[in-house]
Amino acid sequence: QEAILSHQATVLGIVPSSLEALDPKILPAIRCIFTWGEALSWVLAERWRGKGVPVLDLLISTEYWLSFVCDGKTSSMGRSIYSAVAGVDFGVVPSGETKLLK
């Protein structure tokens, strides 16, 4: 937290396990958080969203680098809903299939 404060950071790009150690009360200047690389728990995201900070969970891999993002929306089954970033061209191949859906 000291480095974030000393550099006056307002945007964080961080893995959830590191975000877990930060306190939103001590970092009121944070305006947006991007997470990736690990599962982001709903509880952790809401800790920051409850303070008015958007938390965006990026779905990242070399195959779809920065193509899909979740802003906290979930399905009726509680799963994160990811949206394609504007301008991304992508296809969906059902499990066990080899052809794209049309």
Side-chain angles (χ1 to χ4, degrees):
Q1 295 184 130
E2 294 80 21
I4 295 167
L5 288 167
S6 69
H7 290 284
Q8 301 177 346
T10 58
V11 176
L12 294 180
I14 191 166
V15 294
S17 58
S18 293
L19 181 61
E20 185 71 48
L22 302 180
D23 185 346
K25 295 176 194 162
I26 295 174
L27 300 169
I30 299 301
R31 298 290 173 245
C32 185
I33 298 171
F34 295 93
T35 66
W36 63 81
E38 301 170 353
L40 174 65
S41 75
W42 184 86
V43 171
L44 178 57
E46 287 303 308
R47 181 187 313 161
W48 291 87
R49 288 180 182 137
K51 300 291 183 191
V53 178
V55 178
L56 303 171
D57 186 30
L58 302 176
L59 185 59
I60 295 180
S61 160
T62 55
E63 290 80 21
Y64 37 80
W65 178 249
L66 293 178
S67 297
F68 299 94
V69 63
C70 176
D71 63 2
K73 293 180 185 122
T74 57
S75 71
S76 60
M77 295 174 14
R79 294 185 177 148
S80 296
I81 297 174
Y82 287 85
S83 300
V85 173
V88 169
D89 185 21
F90 68 95
V92 176
V93 179
S95 180
E97 300 290 326
T98 57
K99 294 184 180 179
L100 290 175
L101 294 176
K102 292 188 179 200

